[in-house]
Amino acid sequence: LRKYRKATNYLLVGIRFFPGDYLVHYYLGTAFYRIRSYGAGIRHLNTSIRLKSDFMKAYQNLGLLYRKIRRYNLAEKTYLKGLSINEDSDELYFNLGRIYEITNKLPVALLCFKKSLILNTKDEYYSYQVAQVYIKMKKWDKALYFLKKTLRINRDYAPAQYNLGYIYETQKKNNTLAAYHYNYFLKLKPYSRFKARILKFLKLGK
């Protein structure tokens, strides 16, 4: 927090000289967000958007700030406003999906996550998040498909390895594949909080 407080002080000086600079307001709003001065953060990020309506990073951080304080309706409105200006922002679609996921609107969250993945096919987290929604919906085959897709993007993405192991163990009853993915996960995360449970499963599966 100390570096953000220091940055805030510098930016407060800078804004006196550049009151109409959208970037100064953006950085100041972001710094206030980081030091938990949420009201000031909202004010400066909104000013940044007012000064430059197509600056997507300001929508991004304003939405994250609203999510942090659980004003999910305002976060949703922020992301939708940004997407009305730039419908090709994978980050805004993704974060809009997170709002819908948090508020348990899973079908709409799924559409947003899939849209973000279409716009950026190389981001393993987008693919993983699609799988996570399918897991919550208990659609195991579709979850497996997107977890495998995640590993095609990044084989060392540990959460996908773990979730594949878990689905194969608990839903598909395929101990061989479960063991493979659990072992791979433990190579990536040898001190995971799931280690004891996984080792118990591996020992019983022998």
Side-chain angles (χ1 to χ4, degrees), residues 87-121:
E87 60 183 17
D88 292 328
S89 174
D90 58 293
E91 291 182 341
L92 290 189
Y93 270 112
F94 179 81
N95 281 289
L96 180 60
R98 289 286 291 127
I99 296 301
Y100 290 134
E101 184 183 14
I102 290 166
T103 54
N104 205 34
K105 299 174 183 176
L106 296 183
V108 193
L110 196 59
L111 289 174
C112 291
F113 291 145
K114 284 185 175 181
K115 181 66 175 179
S116 66
L117 185 58
I118 289 169
L119 291 168
N120 184 355
T121 59

PDB file of all heavy atoms in Angstrom, residues 87-121:
ATOM      1  N   GLU A  87     -17.023  -3.134 -28.693  1.00  0.00           N
ATOM      2  CA  GLU A  87     -17.571  -4.482 -28.507  1.00  0.00           C
ATOM      3  C   GLU A  87     -16.525  -5.576 -28.699  1.00  0.00           C
ATOM      4  O   GLU A  87     -16.850  -6.760 -28.609  1.00  0.00           O
ATOM      5  CB  GLU A  87     -18.733  -4.722 -29.467  1.00  0.00           C
ATOM      6  CG  GLU A  87     -18.368  -4.614 -30.927  1.00  0.00           C
ATOM      7  CD  GLU A  87     -19.564  -4.799 -31.842  1.00  0.00           C
ATOM      8  OE1 GLU A  87     -20.699  -4.687 -31.371  1.00  0.00           O
ATOM      9  OE2 GLU A  87     -19.347  -5.050 -33.044  1.00  0.00           O
ATOM     10  N   ASP A  88     -15.279  -5.186 -28.938  1.00  0.00           N
ATOM     11  CA  ASP A  88     -14.201  -6.163 -29.133  1.00  0.00           C
ATOM     12  C   ASP A  88     -13.265  -6.256 -27.933  1.00  0.00           C
ATOM     13  O   ASP A  88     -12.140  -6.759 -28.051  1.00  0.00           O
ATOM     14  CB  ASP A  88     -13.397  -5.815 -30.388  1.00  0.00           C
ATOM     15  CG  ASP A  88     -14.202  -5.993 -31.661  1.00  0.00           C
ATOM     16  OD1 ASP A  88     -15.065  -6.892 -31.686  1.00  0.00           O
ATOM     17  OD2 ASP A  88     -13.982  -5.227 -32.617  1.00  0.00           O
ATOM     18  N   SER A  89     -13.699  -5.763 -26.793  1.00  0.00           N
ATOM     19  CA  SER A  89     -12.853  -5.811 -25.593  1.00  0.00           C
ATOM     20  C   SER A  89     -13.042  -7.140 -24.870  1.00  0.00           C
ATOM     21  O   SER A  89     -14.048  -7.355 -24.184  1.00  0.00           O
ATOM     22  CB  SER A  89     -13.179  -4.647 -24.648  1.00  0.00           C
ATOM     23  OG  SER A  89     -12.462  -4.783 -23.434  1.00  0.00           O
ATOM     24  N   ASP A  90     -12.081  -8.037 -25.031  1.00  0.00           N
ATOM     25  CA  ASP A  90     -12.179  -9.339 -24.361  1.00  0.00           C
ATOM     26  C   ASP A  90     -12.165  -9.187 -22.842  1.00  0.00           C
ATOM     27  O   ASP A  90     -12.843  -9.927 -22.124  1.00  0.00           O
ATOM     28  CB  ASP A  90     -11.056 -10.269 -24.827  1.00  0.00           C
ATOM     29  CG  ASP A  90      -9.673  -9.698 -24.583  1.00  0.00           C
ATOM     30  OD1 ASP A  90      -9.341  -8.689 -25.237  1.00  0.00           O
ATOM     31  OD2 ASP A  90      -8.931 -10.244 -23.751  1.00  0.00           O
ATOM     32  N   GLU A  91     -11.413  -8.199 -22.332  1.00  0.00           N
ATOM     33  CA  GLU A  91     -11.310  -8.019 -20.888  1.00  0.00           C
ATOM     34  C   GLU A  91     -12.640  -7.559 -20.290  1.00  0.00           C
ATOM     35  O   GLU A  91     -13.022  -8.006 -19.201  1.00  0.00           O
ATOM     36  CB  GLU A  91     -10.208  -7.017 -20.557  1.00  0.00           C
ATOM     37  CG  GLU A  91      -8.811  -7.537 -20.861  1.00  0.00           C
ATOM     38  CD  GLU A  91      -7.731  -6.548 -20.482  1.00  0.00           C
ATOM     39  OE1 GLU A  91      -8.060  -5.351 -20.321  1.00  0.00           O
ATOM     40  OE2 GLU A  91      -6.574  -6.968 -20.327  1.00  0.00           O
ATOM     41  N   LEU A  92     -13.345  -6.668 -20.989  1.00  0.00           N
ATOM     42  CA  LEU A  92     -14.635  -6.214 -20.463  1.00  0.00           C
ATOM     43  C   LEU A  92     -15.664  -7.341 -20.485  1.00  0.00           C
ATOM     44  O   LEU A  92     -16.448  -7.498 -19.545  1.00  0.00           O
ATOM     45  CB  LEU A  92     -15.144  -5.011 -21.250  1.00  0.00           C
ATOM     46  CG  LEU A  92     -14.389  -3.692 -21.065  1.00  0.00           C
ATOM     47  CD1 LEU A  92     -15.148  -2.545 -21.727  1.00  0.00           C
ATOM     48  CD2 LEU A  92     -14.150  -3.362 -19.600  1.00  0.00           C
ATOM     49  N   TYR A  93     -15.672  -8.135 -21.561  1.00  0.00           N
ATOM     50  CA  TYR A  93     -16.581  -9.287 -21.603  1.00  0.00           C
ATOM     51  C   TYR A  93     -16.272 -10.253 -20.463  1.00  0.00           C
ATOM     52  O   TYR A  93     -17.186 -10.772 -19.809  1.00  0.00           O
ATOM     53  CB  TYR A  93     -16.479 -10.020 -22.940  1.00  0.00           C
ATOM     54  CG  TYR A  93     -17.427  -9.509 -23.990  1.00  0.00           C
ATOM     55  CD1 TYR A  93     -16.956  -8.840 -25.116  1.00  0.00           C
ATOM     56  CD2 TYR A  93     -18.803  -9.690 -23.867  1.00  0.00           C
ATOM     57  CE1 TYR A  93     -17.829  -8.348 -26.084  1.00  0.00           C
ATOM     58  CE2 TYR A  93     -19.680  -9.214 -24.828  1.00  0.00           C
ATOM     59  CZ  TYR A  93     -19.189  -8.542 -25.929  1.00  0.00           C
ATOM     60  OH  TYR A  93     -20.055  -8.066 -26.874  1.00  0.00           O
ATOM     61  N   PHE A  94     -14.980 -10.485 -20.235  1.00  0.00           N
ATOM     62  CA  PHE A  94     -14.602 -11.418 -19.177  1.00  0.00           C
ATOM     63  C   PHE A  94     -15.068 -10.916 -17.813  1.00  0.00           C
ATOM     64  O   PHE A  94     -15.662 -11.668 -17.029  1.00  0.00           O
ATOM     65  CB  PHE A  94     -13.091 -11.646 -19.165  1.00  0.00           C
ATOM     66  CG  PHE A  94     -12.664 -12.572 -18.072  1.00  0.00           C
ATOM     67  CD1 PHE A  94     -12.778 -13.943 -18.228  1.00  0.00           C
ATOM     68  CD2 PHE A  94     -12.161 -12.079 -16.878  1.00  0.00           C
ATOM     69  CE1 PHE A  94     -12.408 -14.813 -17.205  1.00  0.00           C
ATOM     70  CE2 PHE A  94     -11.793 -12.935 -15.854  1.00  0.00           C
ATOM     71  CZ  PHE A  94     -11.911 -14.303 -16.027  1.00  0.00           C
ATOM     72  N   ASN A  95     -14.802  -9.658 -17.525  1.00  0.00           N
ATOM     73  CA  ASN A  95     -15.163  -9.133 -16.218  1.00  0.00           C
ATOM     74  C   ASN A  95     -16.673  -8.962 -16.050  1.00  0.00           C
ATOM     75  O   ASN A  95     -17.190  -9.093 -14.938  1.00  0.00           O
ATOM     76  CB  ASN A  95     -14.425  -7.822 -15.957  1.00  0.00           C
ATOM     77  CG  ASN A  95     -12.993  -8.072 -15.543  1.00  0.00           C
ATOM     78  OD1 ASN A  95     -12.717  -8.544 -14.452  1.00  0.00           O
ATOM     79  ND2 ASN A  95     -12.069  -7.798 -16.442  1.00  0.00           N
ATOM     80  N   LEU A  96     -17.378  -8.714 -17.142  1.00  0.00           N
ATOM     81  CA  LEU A  96     -18.836  -8.734 -17.085  1.00  0.00           C
ATOM     82  C   LEU A  96     -19.319 -10.146 -16.746  1.00  0.00           C
ATOM     83  O   LEU A  96     -20.234 -10.329 -15.934  1.00  0.00           O
ATOM     84  CB  LEU A  96     -19.417  -8.268 -18.422  1.00  0.00           C
ATOM     85  CG  LEU A  96     -20.950  -8.232 -18.533  1.00  0.00           C
ATOM     86  CD1 LEU A  96     -21.547  -7.291 -17.493  1.00  0.00           C
ATOM     87  CD2 LEU A  96     -21.363  -7.810 -19.938  1.00  0.00           C
ATOM     88  N   GLY A  97     -18.670 -11.142 -17.339  1.00  0.00           N
ATOM     89  CA  GLY A  97     -18.989 -12.532 -17.011  1.00  0.00           C
ATOM     90  C   GLY A  97     -18.775 -12.835 -15.545  1.00  0.00           C
ATOM     91  O   GLY A  97     -19.567 -13.563 -14.922  1.00  0.00           O
ATOM     92  N   ARG A  98     -17.715 -12.273 -14.964  1.00  0.00           N
ATOM     93  CA  ARG A  98     -17.456 -12.501 -13.535  1.00  0.00           C
ATOM     94  C   ARG A  98     -18.587 -11.934 -12.675  1.00  0.00           C
ATOM     95  O   ARG A  98     -18.985 -12.535 -11.679  1.00  0.00           O
ATOM     96  CB  ARG A  98     -16.121 -11.857 -13.132  1.00  0.00           C
ATOM     97  CG  ARG A  98     -14.914 -12.558 -13.686  1.00  0.00           C
ATOM     98  CD  ARG A  98     -14.622 -13.875 -12.989  1.00  0.00           C
ATOM     99  NE  ARG A  98     -14.170 -13.670 -11.631  1.00  0.00           N
ATOM    100  CZ  ARG A  98     -14.706 -14.241 -10.551  1.00  0.00           C
ATOM    101  NH1 ARG A  98     -15.739 -15.052 -10.664  1.00  0.00           N
ATOM    102  NH2 ARG A  98     -14.231 -14.009  -9.357  1.00  0.00           N
ATOM    103  N   ILE A  99     -19.125 -10.779 -13.082  1.00  0.00           N
ATOM    104  CA  ILE A  99     -20.246 -10.199 -12.342  1.00  0.00           C
ATOM    105  C   ILE A  99     -21.454 -11.136 -12.407  1.00  0.00           C
ATOM    106  O   ILE A  99     -22.106 -11.406 -11.393  1.00  0.00           O
ATOM    107  CB  ILE A  99     -20.610  -8.810 -12.903  1.00  0.00           C
ATOM    108  CG1 ILE A  99     -19.443  -7.818 -12.702  1.00  0.00           C
ATOM    109  CG2 ILE A  99     -21.890  -8.278 -12.250  1.00  0.00           C
ATOM    110  CD1 ILE A  99     -19.038  -7.613 -11.252  1.00  0.00           C
ATOM    111  N   TYR A 100     -21.741 -11.642 -13.594  1.00  0.00           N
ATOM    112  CA  TYR A 100     -22.886 -12.546 -13.739  1.00  0.00           C
ATOM    113  C   TYR A 100     -22.651 -13.862 -12.991  1.00  0.00           C
ATOM    114  O   TYR A 100     -23.579 -14.446 -12.433  1.00  0.00           O
ATOM    115  CB  TYR A 100     -23.169 -12.817 -15.209  1.00  0.00           C
ATOM    116  CG  TYR A 100     -23.720 -11.625 -15.952  1.00  0.00           C
ATOM    117  CD1 TYR A 100     -23.220 -11.259 -17.204  1.00  0.00           C
ATOM    118  CD2 TYR A 100     -24.731 -10.849 -15.398  1.00  0.00           C
ATOM    119  CE1 TYR A 100     -23.726 -10.158 -17.888  1.00  0.00           C
ATOM    120  CE2 TYR A 100     -25.241  -9.743 -16.074  1.00  0.00           C
ATOM    121  CZ  TYR A 100     -24.736  -9.408 -17.312  1.00  0.00           C
ATOM    122  OH  TYR A 100     -25.244  -8.311 -17.986  1.00  0.00           O
ATOM    123  N   GLU A 101     -21.403 -14.305 -12.960  1.00  0.00           N
ATOM    124  CA  GLU A 101     -21.085 -15.532 -12.223  1.00  0.00           C
ATOM    125  C   GLU A 101     -21.291 -15.326 -10.719  1.00  0.00           C
ATOM    126  O   GLU A 101     -21.897 -16.160 -10.040  1.00  0.00           O
ATOM    127  CB  GLU A 101     -19.644 -15.960 -12.500  1.00  0.00           C
ATOM    128  CG  GLU A 101     -19.259 -17.275 -11.848  1.00  0.00           C
ATOM    129  CD  GLU A 101     -17.806 -17.646 -12.063  1.00  0.00           C
ATOM    130  OE1 GLU A 101     -17.008 -16.777 -12.481  1.00  0.00           O
ATOM    131  OE2 GLU A 101     -17.456 -18.817 -11.817  1.00  0.00           O
ATOM    132  N   ILE A 102     -20.796 -14.207 -10.212  1.00  0.00           N
ATOM    133  CA  ILE A 102     -20.924 -13.898  -8.789  1.00  0.00           C
ATOM    134  C   ILE A 102     -22.390 -13.791  -8.384  1.00  0.00           C
ATOM    135  O   ILE A 102     -22.785 -14.216  -7.295  1.00  0.00           O
ATOM    136  CB  ILE A 102     -20.171 -12.580  -8.458  1.00  0.00           C
ATOM    137  CG1 ILE A 102     -18.651 -12.793  -8.570  1.00  0.00           C
ATOM    138  CG2 ILE A 102     -20.534 -12.082  -7.057  1.00  0.00           C
ATOM    139  CD1 ILE A 102     -17.861 -11.506  -8.601  1.00  0.00           C
ATOM    140  N   THR A 103     -23.207 -13.226  -9.271  1.00  0.00           N
ATOM    141  CA  THR A 103     -24.630 -13.040  -8.967  1.00  0.00           C
ATOM    142  C   THR A 103     -25.470 -14.238  -9.415  1.00  0.00           C
ATOM    143  O   THR A 103     -26.690 -14.168  -9.472  1.00  0.00           O
ATOM    144  CB  THR A 103     -25.150 -11.749  -9.621  1.00  0.00           C
ATOM    145  OG1 THR A 103     -24.862 -11.762 -11.033  1.00  0.00           O
ATOM    146  CG2 THR A 103     -24.497 -10.531  -8.996  1.00  0.00           C
ATOM    147  N   ASN A 104     -24.780 -15.327  -9.746  1.00  0.00           N
ATOM    148  CA  ASN A 104     -25.414 -16.615 -10.053  1.00  0.00           C
ATOM    149  C   ASN A 104     -26.292 -16.575 -11.309  1.00  0.00           C
ATOM    150  O   ASN A 104     -27.281 -17.300 -11.404  1.00  0.00           O
ATOM    151  CB  ASN A 104     -26.225 -17.120  -8.854  1.00  0.00           C
ATOM    152  CG  ASN A 104     -26.374 -18.633  -8.861  1.00  0.00           C
ATOM    153  OD1 ASN A 104     -25.474 -19.352  -9.298  1.00  0.00           O
ATOM    154  ND2 ASN A 104     -27.508 -19.133  -8.408  1.00  0.00           N
ATOM    155  N   LYS A 105     -25.903 -15.755 -12.268  1.00  0.00           N
ATOM    156  CA  LYS A 105     -26.574 -15.741 -13.566  1.00  0.00           C
ATOM    157  C   LYS A 105     -25.679 -16.517 -14.543  1.00  0.00           C
ATOM    158  O   LYS A 105     -25.054 -15.948 -15.441  1.00  0.00           O
ATOM    159  CB  LYS A 105     -26.807 -14.314 -14.041  1.00  0.00           C
ATOM    160  CG  LYS A 105     -27.702 -13.505 -13.101  1.00  0.00           C
ATOM    161  CD  LYS A 105     -27.785 -12.053 -13.524  1.00  0.00           C
ATOM    162  CE  LYS A 105     -28.632 -11.243 -12.541  1.00  0.00           C
ATOM    163  NZ  LYS A 105     -28.653  -9.787 -12.875  1.00  0.00           N
ATOM    164  N   LEU A 106     -25.611 -17.826 -14.305  1.00  0.00           N
ATOM    165  CA  LEU A 106     -24.590 -18.638 -14.957  1.00  0.00           C
ATOM    166  C   LEU A 106     -24.728 -18.715 -16.486  1.00  0.00           C
ATOM    167  O   LEU A 106     -23.708 -18.653 -17.181  1.00  0.00           O
ATOM    168  CB  LEU A 106     -24.575 -20.044 -14.345  1.00  0.00           C
ATOM    169  CG  LEU A 106     -24.172 -20.106 -12.863  1.00  0.00           C
ATOM    170  CD1 LEU A 106     -24.130 -21.547 -12.391  1.00  0.00           C
ATOM    171  CD2 LEU A 106     -22.839 -19.420 -12.625  1.00  0.00           C
ATOM    172  N   PRO A 107     -25.924 -18.857 -17.051  1.00  0.00           N
ATOM    173  CA  PRO A 107     -26.010 -18.906 -18.521  1.00  0.00           C
ATOM    174  C   PRO A 107     -25.475 -17.641 -19.201  1.00  0.00           C
ATOM    175  O   PRO A 107     -24.811 -17.720 -20.231  1.00  0.00           O
ATOM    176  CB  PRO A 107     -27.510 -19.090 -18.779  1.00  0.00           C
ATOM    177  CG  PRO A 107     -28.024 -19.757 -17.549  1.00  0.00           C
ATOM    178  CD  PRO A 107     -27.233 -19.138 -16.425  1.00  0.00           C
ATOM    179  N   VAL A 108     -25.753 -16.477 -18.586  1.00  0.00           N
ATOM    180  CA  VAL A 108     -25.261 -15.223 -19.159  1.00  0.00           C
ATOM    181  C   VAL A 108     -23.750 -15.096 -18.946  1.00  0.00           C
ATOM    182  O   VAL A 108     -23.019 -14.623 -19.828  1.00  0.00           O
ATOM    183  CB  VAL A 108     -25.983 -14.005 -18.546  1.00  0.00           C
ATOM    184  CG1 VAL A 108     -25.698 -12.748 -19.357  1.00  0.00           C
ATOM    185  CG2 VAL A 108     -27.478 -14.237 -18.468  1.00  0.00           C
ATOM    186  N   ALA A 109     -23.281 -15.532 -17.783  1.00  0.00           N
ATOM    187  CA  ALA A 109     -21.840 -15.541 -17.520  1.00  0.00           C
ATOM    188  C   ALA A 109     -21.117 -16.381 -18.561  1.00  0.00           C
ATOM    189  O   ALA A 109     -20.061 -15.990 -19.084  1.00  0.00           O
ATOM    190  CB  ALA A 109     -21.560 -16.081 -16.120  1.00  0.00           C
ATOM    191  N   LEU A 110     -21.697 -17.532 -18.877  1.00  0.00           N
ATOM    192  CA  LEU A 110     -21.112 -18.437 -19.859  1.00  0.00           C
ATOM    193  C   LEU A 110     -20.977 -17.764 -21.218  1.00  0.00           C
ATOM    194  O   LEU A 110     -19.935 -17.868 -21.884  1.00  0.00           O
ATOM    195  CB  LEU A 110     -21.979 -19.690 -19.970  1.00  0.00           C
ATOM    196  CG  LEU A 110     -21.379 -20.916 -20.653  1.00  0.00           C
ATOM    197  CD1 LEU A 110     -20.120 -21.385 -19.940  1.00  0.00           C
ATOM    198  CD2 LEU A 110     -22.414 -22.040 -20.680  1.00  0.00           C
ATOM    199  N   LEU A 111     -22.002 -17.043 -21.636  1.00  0.00           N
ATOM    200  CA  LEU A 111     -21.958 -16.337 -22.920  1.00  0.00           C
ATOM    201  C   LEU A 111     -20.833 -15.305 -22.935  1.00  0.00           C
ATOM    202  O   LEU A 111     -20.121 -15.170 -23.932  1.00  0.00           O
ATOM    203  CB  LEU A 111     -23.302 -15.656 -23.189  1.00  0.00           C
ATOM    204  CG  LEU A 111     -24.480 -16.578 -23.515  1.00  0.00           C
ATOM    205  CD1 LEU A 111     -25.770 -15.751 -23.611  1.00  0.00           C
ATOM    206  CD2 LEU A 111     -24.247 -17.327 -24.820  1.00  0.00           C
ATOM    207  N   CYS A 112     -20.677 -14.591 -21.823  1.00  0.00           N
ATOM    208  CA  CYS A 112     -19.626 -13.560 -21.748  1.00  0.00           C
ATOM    209  C   CYS A 112     -18.234 -14.190 -21.782  1.00  0.00           C
ATOM    210  O   CYS A 112     -17.344 -13.701 -22.493  1.00  0.00           O
ATOM    211  CB  CYS A 112     -19.798 -12.729 -20.480  1.00  0.00           C
ATOM    212  SG  CYS A 112     -21.251 -11.669 -20.491  1.00  0.00           S
ATOM    213  N   PHE A 113     -18.039 -15.257 -21.026  1.00  0.00           N
ATOM    214  CA  PHE A 113     -16.732 -15.914 -21.009  1.00  0.00           C
ATOM    215  C   PHE A 113     -16.388 -16.489 -22.383  1.00  0.00           C
ATOM    216  O   PHE A 113     -15.244 -16.404 -22.839  1.00  0.00           O
ATOM    217  CB  PHE A 113     -16.690 -17.015 -19.956  1.00  0.00           C
ATOM    218  CG  PHE A 113     -16.729 -16.509 -18.538  1.00  0.00           C
ATOM    219  CD1 PHE A 113     -17.389 -17.236 -17.549  1.00  0.00           C
ATOM    220  CD2 PHE A 113     -16.106 -15.330 -18.189  1.00  0.00           C
ATOM    221  CE1 PHE A 113     -17.425 -16.781 -16.247  1.00  0.00           C
ATOM    222  CE2 PHE A 113     -16.132 -14.863 -16.876  1.00  0.00           C
ATOM    223  CZ  PHE A 113     -16.795 -15.591 -15.907  1.00  0.00           C
ATOM    224  N   LYS A 114     -17.391 -17.072 -23.042  1.00  0.00           N
ATOM    225  CA  LYS A 114     -17.141 -17.625 -24.382  1.00  0.00           C
ATOM    226  C   LYS A 114     -16.819 -16.518 -25.371  1.00  0.00           C
ATOM    227  O   LYS A 114     -15.967 -16.697 -26.251  1.00  0.00           O
ATOM    228  CB  LYS A 114     -18.352 -18.434 -24.848  1.00  0.00           C
ATOM    229  CG  LYS A 114     -18.470 -19.794 -24.186  1.00  0.00           C
ATOM    230  CD  LYS A 114     -19.610 -20.612 -24.776  1.00  0.00           C
ATOM    231  CE  LYS A 114     -19.646 -22.019 -24.204  1.00  0.00           C
ATOM    232  NZ  LYS A 114     -20.729 -22.842 -24.792  1.00  0.00           N
ATOM    233  N   LYS A 115     -17.479 -15.374 -25.225  1.00  0.00           N
ATOM    234  CA  LYS A 115     -17.188 -14.238 -26.112  1.00  0.00           C
ATOM    235  C   LYS A 115     -15.764 -13.741 -25.890  1.00  0.00           C
ATOM    236  O   LYS A 115     -15.042 -13.446 -26.857  1.00  0.00           O
ATOM    237  CB  LYS A 115     -18.188 -13.107 -25.848  1.00  0.00           C
ATOM    238  CG  LYS A 115     -18.000 -11.886 -26.730  1.00  0.00           C
ATOM    239  CD  LYS A 115     -18.284 -12.156 -28.186  1.00  0.00           C
ATOM    240  CE  LYS A 115     -18.210 -10.892 -29.016  1.00  0.00           C
ATOM    241  NZ  LYS A 115     -18.470 -11.136 -30.457  1.00  0.00           N
ATOM    242  N   SER A 116     -15.334 -13.666 -24.649  1.00  0.00           N
ATOM    243  CA  SER A 116     -13.961 -13.228 -24.367  1.00  0.00           C
ATOM    244  C   SER A 116     -12.960 -14.210 -24.957  1.00  0.00           C
ATOM    245  O   SER A 116     -11.905 -13.811 -25.470  1.00  0.00           O
ATOM    246  CB  SER A 116     -13.739 -13.070 -22.856  1.00  0.00           C
ATOM    247  OG  SER A 116     -13.807 -14.315 -22.190  1.00  0.00           O
ATOM    248  N   LEU A 117     -13.295 -15.493 -24.929  1.00  0.00           N
ATOM    249  CA  LEU A 117     -12.405 -16.519 -25.482  1.00  0.00           C
ATOM    250  C   LEU A 117     -12.352 -16.445 -27.005  1.00  0.00           C
ATOM    251  O   LEU A 117     -11.296 -16.660 -27.610  1.00  0.00           O
ATOM    252  CB  LEU A 117     -12.860 -17.901 -25.030  1.00  0.00           C
ATOM    253  CG  LEU A 117     -11.983 -19.090 -25.425  1.00  0.00           C
ATOM    254  CD1 LEU A 117     -10.560 -18.928 -24.889  1.00  0.00           C
ATOM    255  CD2 LEU A 117     -12.595 -20.398 -24.913  1.00  0.00           C
ATOM    256  N   ILE A 118     -13.472 -16.121 -27.632  1.00  0.00           N
ATOM    257  CA  ILE A 118     -13.495 -15.941 -29.090  1.00  0.00           C
ATOM    258  C   ILE A 118     -12.592 -14.770 -29.482  1.00  0.00           C
ATOM    259  O   ILE A 118     -11.851 -14.830 -30.468  1.00  0.00           O
ATOM    260  CB  ILE A 118     -14.937 -15.706 -29.587  1.00  0.00           C
ATOM    261  CG1 ILE A 118     -15.754 -16.997 -29.485  1.00  0.00           C
ATOM    262  CG2 ILE A 118     -14.950 -15.195 -31.032  1.00  0.00           C
ATOM    263  CD1 ILE A 118     -17.245 -16.806 -29.692  1.00  0.00           C
ATOM    264  N   LEU A 119     -12.643 -13.699 -28.680  1.00  0.00           N
ATOM    265  CA  LEU A 119     -11.857 -12.505 -28.988  1.00  0.00           C
ATOM    266  C   LEU A 119     -10.378 -12.694 -28.686  1.00  0.00           C
ATOM    267  O   LEU A 119      -9.527 -12.044 -29.279  1.00  0.00           O
ATOM    268  CB  LEU A 119     -12.400 -11.314 -28.194  1.00  0.00           C
ATOM    269  CG  LEU A 119     -13.788 -10.820 -28.619  1.00  0.00           C
ATOM    270  CD1 LEU A 119     -14.350  -9.847 -27.594  1.00  0.00           C
ATOM    271  CD2 LEU A 119     -13.723 -10.162 -29.993  1.00  0.00           C
ATOM    272  N   ASN A 120     -10.076 -13.591 -27.740  1.00  0.00           N
ATOM    273  CA  ASN A 120      -8.672 -13.856 -27.383  1.00  0.00           C
ATOM    274  C   ASN A 120      -8.521 -15.350 -27.117  1.00  0.00           C
ATOM    275  O   ASN A 120      -8.695 -15.811 -25.990  1.00  0.00           O
ATOM    276  CB  ASN A 120      -8.270 -13.038 -26.162  1.00  0.00           C
ATOM    277  CG  ASN A 120      -6.803 -13.210 -25.805  1.00  0.00           C
ATOM    278  OD1 ASN A 120      -6.092 -14.014 -26.411  1.00  0.00           O
ATOM    279  ND2 ASN A 120      -6.338 -12.466 -24.819  1.00  0.00           N
ATOM    280  N   THR A 121      -8.213 -16.081 -28.157  1.00  0.00           N
ATOM    281  CA  THR A 121      -8.174 -17.556 -28.073  1.00  0.00           C
ATOM    282  C   THR A 121      -6.943 -18.073 -27.343  1.00  0.00           C
ATOM    283  O   THR A 121      -6.869 -19.271 -27.048  1.00  0.00           O
ATOM    284  CB  THR A 121      -8.203 -18.168 -29.482  1.00  0.00           C
ATOM    285  OG1 THR A 121      -7.067 -17.690 -30.228  1.00  0.00           O
ATOM    286  CG2 THR A 121      -9.472 -17.776 -30.222  1.00  0.00           C
TER     287      THR A 121
END
